Amino acid sequence: MSARILVLHTGGTIGMQPSSAGLAPSPGFEALIRERLAAALPQLPAFDLIELDPLIDSADLCPTHWTRIAQLLRAHYDAYSGFVLTHGTDTLGYTAAALSFMLRGLDKPVVVTGSQIPLFAARNDAEENLIGALQLAAMPELREVCVCFRGRVLRGNRSVKVDATALAAFDSPNAPWLGSIGIDIELDRAALLPGVTPAFSVPTFDPAAVAVLRLFPGIQAGLVKAVLGQPGLRGVLLQSYGVGNPPAANHALMEALEAALARGTVIVNLTQCSRGGVAGGTYATGAALQRIGVIPGADLTLEAAFAKLHLLLAERRTPAEIRTLMPQAWCGELTPRD
Ligand code: ASP
């Protein structure tokens, strides 16, 4: 069977057009692709395109959009050999991670891409990213959610937007690239996920369920309490220092964390560093978090931890189940500790 790809356009710079208020999502992306890539199309896999309605600037994305996107992919899953998701770059890493956890056991490629400059512009990175994504989506050995951006093929749940302006905007600081696009598309076959049996989980998300709390020198317990006391909050990603250290000498702050844990709030410890992860137990300060029941988040990116915790909460898992499931590697998102 020759490859047929479904492109799901969600919005983002790649398909934006100028408006009186600045660049804004605009319908009609398929016609624009067919016009701008006319010369290349005969050499590319055939595709159909559907658009999210309404299209969004990904800065406006909520976890509820993940449900809509995954529903659309699931509804069309059997009819296509691969999928391309065109998405704004701002929250692309969150969506790629969320899809990797929702579409577990994927046995076809789902390639997420976007661009820093819109396709309509004379000089743009959209053409290159789109062409790469379409070609990757036709490679059956890719059986996972990946990101294609500026010649890099990255695991979706390891991807981070690392540059606001450069065209090489994405990287995976804690995992090797899955491949790169030069004269040829080179995939690191040993690094690819095997693909098992699709076992999709597409729950309804509550955007209020998860918050991110970044520590900073002099942070006050009152601020921490205010965050932890938000209505509907059930999970918190604590961005601590280095290998996972909080200001443990701030007893009021530590007590606020302990009180939230006792109320059933799940807290996951992540590093603020852009590379590496939480080792837990190296320093007395970090060990204090583990002692009170904070879950070490290993080398999960903020995006992946956010999506995974949201999914576990949306699936109505208990705090004890989350304690077991969060540190497990489901689809390459973290490096397990032995
Ligand atoms: N604000 C845009 C978005 O994320 C930025 C982009 O696509 O590069 O939708």
Side-chain angles (χ1 to χ4, degrees):
M1 187 186 90
S2 62
R4 185 153 199 102
I5 311 301
L6 180 68
V7 179
L8 171 53
H9 180 49
T10 64
T13 295
I14 191 163
M16 285 191 186
Q17 296 284 350
S19 76
S20 53
L23 286 175
S26 158
F29 190 46
E30 179 168 3
L32 184 65
I33 296 178
R34 298 206 183 272
E35 179 203 321
R36 299 301 302 239
L37 301 189
L41 284 181
Q43 298 167 53
L44 295 175
F47 69 90
D48 298 315
L49 186 145
I50 53 176
E51 293 187 347
L52 212 60
D53 183 19
L55 293 166
I56 49 164
D57 182 310
S58 82
D60 284 325
L61 180 125
C62 281
T64 44
H65 290 104
W66 299 338
T67 306
R68 185 73 197 119
I69 293 168
Q71 280 170 343
L72 286 167
L73 293 175
R74 186 174 60 182
H76 294 92
Y77 193 73
D78 292 337
Y80 292 91
S81 45
F83 301 85
V84 170
L85 188 75
T86 47
H87 196 288
T89 61
D90 287 340
T91 58
L92 186 152
Y94 291 88
T95 299
L99 290 177
S100 79
F101 301 133
M102 297 168 85
L103 308 177
R104 281 207 296 288
L106 209 57
D107 54 4
K108 296 176 183 179
V110 174
V111 186
V112 188
T113 196
S115 69
Q116 295 278 62
I117 307 174
L119 182 58
F120 81 81
R123 182 178 63 80
N124 70 73
D125 55 331
E127 285 183 33
E128 151 192 357
N129 291 346
L130 264 176
I131 290 172
L134 283 166
Q135 291 184 324
L136 285 168
M139 299 178 80
E141 59 270 50
L142 261 180
R143 297 182 206 94
E144 58 182 289
V145 177
C146 61
V147 170
C148 170
F149 217 95
R150 195 58 172 178
R152 297 175 179 177
V153 186
L154 310 171
R155 175 153 290 144
N157 53 38
R158 294 285 202 163
S159 304
V160 178
K161 185 171 181 183
V162 292
D163 204 310
T165 50
L167 301 186
F170 284 84
D171 205 345
S172 56
N174 282 341
W177 300 353
L178 297 182
S180 54
I181 304 178
I183 289 179
D184 297 312
I185 296 184
E186 310 263 8
L187 292 181
D188 176 359
R189 276 154 220 277
L192 303 180
L193 292 181
V196 267
T197 308
F200 298 167
S201 167
V202 187
T204 304
F205 292 92
D206 172 8
V210 178
V212 179
L213 180 58
R214 187 177 171 97
L215 299 178
F216 52 86
I219 187 170
Q220 300 292 301
L223 178 97
V224 173
K225 276 188 201 152
V227 172
L228 295 170
Q230 284 305 298
L233 188 77
R234 294 161 57 218
V236 173
L237 301 171
L238 183 72
Q239 287 192 297
S240 63
Y241 305 122
V243 289
N245 304 314
N250 184 336
H251 299 297
L253 183 150
M254 296 301 284
E255 278 160 25
L257 295 176
E258 227 174 327
L261 288 160
R263 293 197 298 270
T265 307
V266 177
I267 306 179
V268 179
N269 191 17
L270 300 174
T271 181
Q272 297 185 3
C273 298
S274 49
R275 199 179 289 276
V278 163
T282 310
Y283 295 95
T285 47
L289 281 182
Q290 292 218 47
R291 208 170 37 246
I292 62 174
V294 171
I295 302 169
D299 59 353
L300 282 168
T301 61
L302 172 68
E303 291 85 337
F306 184 81
K308 193 170 179 179
L309 185 55
H310 247 303
L311 181 72
L312 288 166
L313 291 167
E315 288 177 342
R316 300 268 147 202
R317 307 284 187 161
T318 64
E321 287 171 326
I322 296 176
R323 181 177 306 286
T324 307
L325 291 167
M326 197 73 196
Q328 285 175 2
W330 295 356
C331 41
E333 74 275 20
L334 58 79
T335 313
R337 302 193 67 213
D338 13 67

